[in-house]
């Protein structure tokens, strides 16, 4: 059965993972929880048992053989470290067939590199996930290779929406997504921590301040998504003349928050591009 035929009945679709780290586990967990795939239809490979135990706990099949994953599954997600991926692709290339749809989540490995390392006409897609996939709130983008059509893109998008939001983009956006959303998780954590520390400074207990800061981020993000508004509009709704918020915003502007954040995304994107070139 090809991945496309299996898409008609998700419970019958066999999904393989080559590499069993946190991102692979997060995607597998999302697919299983959303009922897109049966746990027993998932096969994961890794060189040691260290990470495979997490897959076994989910009820998945595991192996130490990368080739076995491709021989058993038509849709295979490669979630190895980027520097390991070329060797892994060369190893599995002899068992890749026209039935396969291969997906890479390795940062910085281009579609053209993936296609060069695999047999001609292999259907390849690239996905850039981020850590919140672990709680099914990921922000993902995907780009398709030369031989992957809209059917493959739809199949993958449908599956990955179990882990959050997934949008198809030109490959040129993937490095920007890494800077905005991959690294952005750390930027947002830094801001959340600073928010809480401001409250701690003013006398609020630490644990409470951190809980409220995190909930403030969550609530604001939901408002932005549901209202579909530009952030500036929402911000204006909170501002009252001579009120608390405008005093706080003035302090943020004096600290150069916007410029620092834009520079952070730029620096992370440039680094992602640099790593891609290597």
């Amino acid at each position: 059965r090809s991945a496309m035929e299996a898409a008609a009945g998700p419970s019958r679709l066999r999904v393989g993972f080559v590499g069993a780290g946190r991102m692979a586990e997060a995607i597998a967990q999302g697919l299983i929880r959303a009922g897109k795939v049966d746990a027993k239809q998932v096969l994961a490979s890794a060189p040691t048992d260290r990470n495979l135990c997490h897959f076994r706990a989910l009820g998945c099949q595991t192996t130490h053989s990368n080739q076995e994953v491709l021989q058993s599954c038509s849709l295979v997600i490669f979630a190895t470290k980027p520097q390991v991926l070329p060797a892994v692709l060369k190893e599995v290339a002899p068992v890749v067939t026209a039935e396969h749809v291969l997906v890479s989540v390795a940062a910085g490995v281009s579609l053209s590199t993936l296609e060069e390392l695999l047999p001609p006409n292999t259907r390849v897609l690239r996905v850039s996930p981020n850590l919140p996939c672990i709680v099914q709130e990921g922000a993902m983008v995907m780009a398709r290779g030369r031989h992957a059509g809209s059917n493959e893109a739809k199949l993958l998008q449908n599956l990955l929406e179990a882990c959050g939001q997934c949008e198809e983009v030109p490959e040129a956006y993937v490095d920007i997504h890494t800077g905005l959303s991959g690294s952005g998780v750390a930027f947002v954590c830094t801001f959340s921590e600073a928010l809480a520390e401001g409250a701690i400074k003013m006398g609020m207990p630490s644990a409470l301040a951190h809980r409220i800061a995190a909930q403030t981020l969550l609530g604001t993000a939901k408002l932005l998504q549901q209202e579909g508004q530009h952030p500036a509009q929402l911000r204006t709704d909170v501002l009252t003349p001579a009120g608390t918020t405008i005093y706080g915003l003035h302090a943020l502007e004096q600290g150069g928050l916007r410029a620092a954040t834009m520079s952070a995304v730029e620096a992370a994107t440039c680094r992602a591009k640099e790593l891609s070139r290597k």
Side-chain angles (χ1 to χ4, degrees), residues 129-200:
N130 71 343
L131 196 60
C133 285
I134 290 174
V135 288
Q136 281 82 59
E137 289 292 352
M140 294 162 280
V141 295
M142 53 176 259
R144 54 175 128 142
R146 286 175 306 159
H147 310 294
S150 56
N151 285 343
E152 287 81 18
K154 282 197 191 89
L155 167 75
L156 186 59
Q157 199 162 15
N158 176 300
L159 285 173
L160 290 178
E161 277 173 352
C163 307
Q165 185 180 314
C166 181
E167 304 207 22
E168 187 177 355
V169 298
E171 189 180 19
Y173 293 1
V174 172
D175 288 333
I176 305 171
H177 177 267
T178 302
L180 169 64
S181 192
S183 303
V185 172
F187 306 157
V188 172
C189 285
T190 304
F191 182 67
S192 184
E193 192 181 9
L195 267 183
E197 284 170 348
I200 295 164

Side-chain angles (χ1 to χ4, degrees), residues 70 78 88-98 100 102 111-124 146-147:
L70 278 92
F78 289 85
V88 168
L89 291 176
K90 281 180 190 146
E91 179 203 335
V92 300
V95 293
V96 172
T97 69
H100 282 112
L102 304 183
L111 285 164
S112 60
T113 300
L114 296 167
E115 286 171 344
E116 272 166 36
L117 294 165
L118 289 161
N121 304 326
T122 302
R123 293 175 293 174
V124 179
R146 286 175 306 159
H147 310 294

Side-chain angles (χ1 to χ4, degrees), residues 56-130:
R56 288 192 205 116
L58 289 170
C60 305
Q61 309 286 315
T62 62
T63 175
H64 293 304
S65 163
N66 296 334
Q67 285 200 350
E68 189 188 331
V69 175
L70 278 92
Q71 285 159 339
S72 307
C73 308
S74 47
L75 179 75
V76 180
I77 296 169
F78 289 85
T80 65
K81 290 195 164 61
Q83 61 272 28
V84 176
L85 187 58
V88 168
L89 291 176
K90 281 180 190 146
E91 179 203 335
V92 300
V95 293
V96 172
T97 69
E99 299 297 310
H100 282 112
V101 176
L102 304 183
V103 180
S104 166
V105 296
V109 184
S110 69
L111 285 164
S112 60
T113 300
L114 296 167
E115 286 171 344
E116 272 166 36
L117 294 165
L118 289 161
N121 304 326
T122 302
R123 293 175 293 174
V124 179
L125 297 100
R126 220 186 132 182
V127 172
S128 177
N130 71 343

